[in-house]
């Protein structure tokens, strides 16, 4: 049995100190083991990002962009946003991060960064550029006309924002061009579906698609074929007056079109010719929309 006078309990403060020393010793021993094995859990880039000022990080990011090191550039710009939020450098870095993501094909990240920029800095000098990046990111994802065209619709909407909100920006002209291309793609999808119905002799469904092209996309390249196909569908249904009116709109707006030549020959083969559909008809309104476009 131990002698109670010679065996004393360790004070609580001493126990805590010994416990902490033990934990630290184990942690340092583990780290020493890792270091000696040639590996390290320390992220050197992250450590540097914590110690370098934002202007240095920004210039490094620009240098990485110039050198084609896009992921490194994004990391630098992200570090500024994280370490110096809401600063002027963070504002500039955010839009550049959106651009770096776009260049590397990470379109969703580009859109997210650009939308965040617009939410934080809607009136800044780079707001037009951020909106333009959103449009570009959607535009680059436009698929073949046989596939779903939601990205075409998003690209057209985003680029229209550039045109309407920033009409004097250097991006407005290109945005206008890309809106036209994206809308032409949407019209092309409608034509593809309309031709499918026409081949299956589902004439009413086909007519609805072709008329939609004229109503919604009167400026597109697809309008000529849409009017020719309308003539074909109406003629197949025995609706000769409507067929003649469609051909008349086609001839008035595209007299030199191969589509008009073929349509005219179709009517002539049955002793018919293009004829105005009346001032209050859908055909007259269609003609006005195409002429206005």
């Amino acid at each position: 049995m131990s002698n109670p006078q010679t065996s004393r309990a360790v004070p609580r403060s001493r126990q805590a100190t010994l416990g902490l020393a033990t934990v630290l010793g184990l942690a340092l021993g583990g780290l020493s083991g890792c270091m000696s094995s040639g590996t390290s859990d320390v992220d050197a880039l992250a450590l540097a990002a914590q110690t370098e000022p934002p202007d240095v990080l920004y210039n490094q990011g620009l240098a990485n962009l110039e050198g084609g090191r896009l992921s490194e550039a994004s990391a630098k710009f992200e570090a500024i946003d994280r370490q110096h939020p809401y600063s002027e450098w963070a504002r500039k870095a955010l839009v550049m991060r959106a651009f770096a993501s776009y260049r590397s094909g990470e379109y969703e990240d580009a859109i997210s960064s650009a939308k965040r920029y617009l939410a934080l800095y809607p009136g800044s000098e780079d707001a037009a550029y951020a909106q333009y990046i959103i449009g570009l990111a959607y535009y680059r994802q436009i698929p073949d006309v046989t596939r779903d065209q939601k990205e075409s619709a998003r690209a057209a909407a985003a680029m229209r924002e550039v045109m309407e909100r920033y009409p004097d920006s250097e991006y407005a002209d290109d945005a206008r061009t890309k809106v036209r291309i994206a809308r032409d793609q949407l019209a092309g999808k409608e034509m593809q579906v309309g031709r499918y119905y026409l081949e299956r002799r589902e004439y009413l469904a086909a007519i609805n698609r072709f008329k939609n092209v004229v109503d919604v996309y009167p400026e597109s390249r697809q309008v000529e074929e849409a009017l020719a196909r309308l003539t074909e569908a109406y003629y197949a249904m025995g609706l000769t007056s409507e067929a003649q009116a469609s051909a008349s709109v086609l001839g008035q707006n595209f007299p030199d079109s191969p589509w008009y030549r073929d349509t005219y020959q179709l009517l002539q083969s049955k002793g018919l010719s293009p004829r105005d559909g009346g001032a209050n008809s859908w055909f007259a309104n269609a003609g006005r929309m195409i002429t206005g476009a």
Side-chain angles (χ1 to χ4, degrees):
M1 180 180 295
S2 62
N3 188 340
Q5 293 182 350
T6 58
S7 177
R8 298 179 180 178
V10 179
R12 290 183 180 276
S13 60
R14 180 72 182 280
Q15 287 179 341
T17 302
L18 290 175
L20 178 59
T22 302
V23 172
L24 288 174
L26 290 172
L28 291 172
L31 180 59
S32 176
C34 289
M35 295 290 286
S36 63
S37 65
T39 60
S40 173
D41 292 331
V42 178
D43 188 335
L45 287 176
L47 185 61
Q50 293 175 9
T51 58
E52 292 176 338
D55 59 328
V56 173
L57 287 169
Y58 185 80
N59 288 328
Q60 289 174 348
L62 292 181
N64 285 327
L65 274 179
E66 289 291 330
R69 299 180 294 277
L70 301 176
S71 60
E72 294 177 29
S74 292
K76 295 292 184 181
F77 296 134
E78 183 180 3
I80 298 171
D81 188 32
R82 186 175 61 253
Q83 300 295 327
H84 309 277
Y86 308 111
S87 67
E88 180 64 13
W89 290 108
R91 181 189 71 77
K92 296 168 68 174
L94 184 55
V95 73
M96 292 309 297
R97 182 185 175 192
F99 173 70
S101 296
Y102 164 74
R103 283 284 302 276
S104 62
E106 297 175 355
Y107 298 125
E108 292 306 315
D109 288 344
I111 292 167
S112 177
S113 294
K115 284 184 175 181
R116 182 165 170 254
Y117 183 93
L118 289 171
L120 292 173
Y121 315 106
S124 74
E125 59 184 8
D126 289 323
Y129 185 49
Q131 182 63 48
Y132 182 63
I133 288 175
I134 294 172
L136 285 176
Y138 284 132
Y139 184 81
R140 293 300 180 189
Q141 297 180 79
I142 292 179
D144 181 83
V145 74
T146 60
R147 299 172 60 189
D148 183 82
Q149 294 298 310
K150 65 177 181 295
E151 300 300 335
S152 297
R154 290 171 177 170
M159 287 300 186
R160 189 174 294 280
E161 283 284 302
V162 176
M163 293 166 50
E164 294 176 353
R165 294 176 60 185
Y166 315 102
D168 299 325
S169 72
E170 61 186 293
Y171 315 108
D173 286 344
D174 189 58
R176 187 173 294 105
T177 298
K178 286 181 168 54
V179 166
R180 185 170 62 250
I181 293 171
R183 285 175 57 80
D184 198 76
Q185 189 80 350
L186 290 166
K189 180 63 178 179
E190 285 290 282
M191 288 301 303
Q192 185 219 3
V193 177
R195 287 191 295 267
Y196 169 79
Y197 286 132
L198 188 62
E199 291 170 1
R200 293 170 61 88
R201 299 184 180 180
E202 298 180 24
Y203 297 120
L204 286 178
I207 287 169
N208 287 335
R209 293 288 181 166
F210 299 140
K211 290 177 74 172
N212 194 53
V213 170
V214 178
D215 288 335
V216 180
Y217 311 105
E219 80 288 355
S220 75
R221 297 178 303 168
Q222 312 296 330
V223 169
E224 296 177 45
E225 182 184 354
L227 290 168
R229 298 295 186 184
L230 276 172
T231 302
E232 182 181 347
Y234 281 129
Y235 182 80
M237 293 179 69
L239 301 174
T240 56
S241 295
E242 286 80 359
Q244 291 173 287
S246 297
S248 176
V249 176
L250 178 58
Q252 289 170 17
N253 289 277
F254 309 100
D256 299 324
S257 168
W259 289 107
Y260 179 59
R261 183 182 62 245
D262 294 344
T263 298
Y264 189 85
Q265 290 176 354
L266 172 66
L267 294 177
Q268 283 244 308
S269 67
K270 299 297 181 181
L272 301 172
S273 62
R275 189 177 64 184
D276 196 325
N280 298 320
S281 67
W282 177 87
F283 304 98
N285 186 57
R288 287 190 291 269
M289 286 193 300
I290 296 169
T291 301

